[in-house]
Amino acid sequence: MPGPRKWRHRHQRYFERWTAPRESILDLLSRTSKHMSAKEIYAILYRLSPGIGLTTIYRTLDLLVKMGLINKFTIGDGQSRYEFQHEDKKGHHHHVICSKCGKIIDYSDFLEDELELVHKTEKHLSQKYNFKVLGHNIEFYGLCEKCQ
Amino acid sequence: MPGPRKWRHRHQRYFERWTAPRESILDLLSRTSKHMSAKEIYAILYRLSPGIGLTTIYRTLDLLVKMGLINKFTIGDGQSRYEFQHEDKKGHHHHVICSKCGKIIDYSDFLEDELELVHKTEKHLSQKYNFKVLGHNIEFYGLCEKCQ
DNA sequence: ATTGATAATGAAAACCATTTTCAATAACAA
DNA sequence: TTGTTATTGAAAATGGTTTTCATTATCAAT
Ligand SMILES: [Mn+2]
Ligand SMILES: [Mn+2]
Ligand SMILES: [Zn+2]
Ligand SMILES: [Zn+2]
């Protein structure tokens, strides 16, 4: 765990106080490439500091999503999952999800082709429906090596 | 409401008996372009026949998803949504979702470009990860005309 | 460093979509 | 028409997430 202030300077308009749970949750997500649920995050942080509460995990995850520091998504297993949002464009990726075991693979191939299609579509949607596009999701699902 | 046997002939390997609830749920979804939740379906069918139970709605939706007659998906409002799966390829479409009010727009533009990218990606994923791709989701989110 | 206002926390309860249980019902083959 | 049993619906259970509220801890002002 880094010093308790590593992330403090970012987006202070979203909060008044930067606390230990906020630091540790964001730190955990920033260090893993896993796509974690609130419960999984809680299980790990509870070991480090058993005083932490699951409620705080949920509240903090909401906050971090609003701040744009993490992404929230679902893979259909009944719980929300979260991943760190890397600043650089190189972090942009999509998901391949195994419908059976829930395994998630990040991939970021054909980003140029994808970007072209996405831009074209966004332009089209804003013109046709006056819809303001803020983001997109592209995911493939099927069976992973083990499950098929 | 059509005769109680309109859908009966399809995929009989998935069930033993074709019942009134199954017929009415599939019939409802086949007639609407809305993306309905179990509760919404229940509310409508309850007016027609108050004997129906929400449990049966859920069970039947599961069955119809397994049969491939409907699609299940989520827009992040905490409940699953379902839509009829049209047989023809022309029914293929994606979703534009308003993050504020939950409005869903179906669109199916640039399908050729998209299909090309999707095929290329699927081939790549199956080679690189030995992943068997069974489907994909592409969705845009943002703010609809009213909400922005 | 100390203090005070109050934002943030955590335990417990509430909420709510979905699933399970189980006795009653109804589809349909015989 | 009848008997088997798949299916149903009400009620209870489940499980992820949110709300409540008294306590705690951050941090600006001293
Ligand atoms: Mn990812
Ligand atoms: Mn649709
Ligand atoms: Zn798998
Ligand atoms: Zn809207």
Side-chain angles (χ1 to χ4, degrees):
Chain A
M1 206 161 24
R5 319 266 127 130
K6 183 177 175 192
W7 302 103
R8 191 183 184 186
H9 65 289
R10 295 231 256 159
H11 301 261
Q12 289 208 348
R13 68 194 160 101
Y14 288 98
F15 55 82
E16 299 284 332
R17 300 171 185 177
W18 190 243
T19 63
R22 290 173 181 183
E23 178 71 22
S24 61
I25 291 166
L26 186 53
D27 184 60
L28 174 60
L29 285 173
S30 76
R31 291 173 185 285
T32 185
S33 62
K34 294 206 187 90
H35 307 81
M36 305 185 79
S37 69
K39 286 265 182 73
E40 290 169 350
I41 294 168
Y42 174 70
I44 289 174
L45 295 185
Y46 184 85
R47 264 180 251 128
L48 301 177
S49 43
I52 202 166
L54 181 56
T55 309
T56 298
I57 307 285
Y58 278 109
R59 280 190 294 230
T60 302
L61 288 170
D62 282 351
L63 175 71
L64 297 175
V65 168
K66 282 201 193 85
M67 291 169 69
L69 295 175
I70 64 175
N71 290 326
K72 179 182 185 174
F73 65 98
T74 177
I75 62 166
D77 65 342
Q79 56 198 316
S80 295
R81 296 191 169 271
Y82 303 85
E83 71 180 344
F84 190 72
Q85 167 76 268
H86 291 271
E87 306 94 353
D88 45 44
K89 286 192 176 179
K90 303 188 74 173
H92 183 75
H93 66 270
H94 297 300
H95 292 147
V96 190
I97 302 164
C98 178
S99 304
K100 197 163 180 191
C101 72
K103 180 181 180 181
I104 303 173
I105 299 171
D106 290 341
Y107 82 93
S108 54
D109 303 290
F110 311 124
L111 283 186
E112 324 71 40
D113 298 337
E114 181 207 305
L115 204 63
E116 193 184 323
L117 178 62
V118 163
H119 277 162
K120 193 159 70 172
T121 308
E122 288 184 356
K123 191 175 167 187
H124 178 77
L125 293 173
S126 65
Q127 287 178 351
K128 188 170 181 182
Y129 304 107
N130 193 25
F131 193 98
K132 178 162 193 166
V133 176
L134 297 175
H136 66 268
N137 271 325
I138 298 180
E139 59 188 36
F140 290 85
Y141 52 89
L143 295 174
C144 77
E145 189 163 17
K146 285 183 186 170
C147 290
Q148 72 199 43
Chain B
M1 206 160 24
R5 320 267 126 131
K6 183 176 176 194
W7 302 102
R8 190 183 186 186
H9 65 289
R10 294 230 256 160
H11 295 86
Q12 288 207 350
R13 68 192 161 104
Y14 288 99
F15 54 82
E16 299 284 332
R17 301 170 185 178
W18 190 243
T19 63
R22 289 173 181 183
E23 177 72 22
S24 60
I25 291 167
L26 185 53
D27 184 58
L28 174 61
L29 285 174
S30 74
R31 292 173 184 286
T32 185
S33 63
K34 294 205 186 89
H35 307 80
M36 306 184 79
S37 68
K39 285 265 182 74
E40 290 168 351
I41 294 169
Y42 175 70
I44 289 175
L45 295 184
Y46 183 85
R47 263 181 250 128
L48 301 177
S49 43
I52 202 167
L54 181 56
T55 308
T56 299
I57 308 285
Y58 278 109
R59 279 189 292 229
T60 302
L61 289 170
D62 282 351
L63 176 70
L64 297 175
V65 168
K66 282 201 194 85
M67 290 169 69
L69 294 174
I70 64 174
N71 290 324
K72 178 181 186 176
F73 65 97
T74 178
I75 62 167
D77 66 341
Q79 55 197 314
S80 295
R81 296 190 170 272
Y82 303 85
E83 70 180 345
F84 190 73
Q85 167 77 268
H86 291 271
E87 306 93 354
D88 45 42
K89 284 193 177 180
K90 303 187 75 172
H92 184 74
H93 67 270
H94 296 301
H95 292 147
V96 190
I97 302 164
C98 178
S99 302
K100 197 165 180 190
C101 72
K103 180 181 180 182
I104 302 173
I105 299 171
D106 289 340
Y107 82 93
S108 55
D109 304 290
F110 311 123
L111 282 185
E112 322 73 40
D113 298 337
E114 182 208 304
L115 203 62
E116 193 185 322
L117 178 62
V118 164
H119 275 162
K120 193 158 71 172
T121 308
E122 288 185 355
K123 190 175 168 188
H124 178 77
L125 293 173
S126 66
Q127 286 178 352
K128 189 169 179 182
Y129 303 107
N130 192 24
F131 193 98
K132 178 162 194 167
V133 176
L134 298 175
H136 66 268
N137 271 326
I138 298 181
E139 60 189 32
F140 290 84
Y141 53 90
L143 296 173
C144 76
E145 189 164 17
K146 286 183 185 172
C147 290
Q148 72 199 44

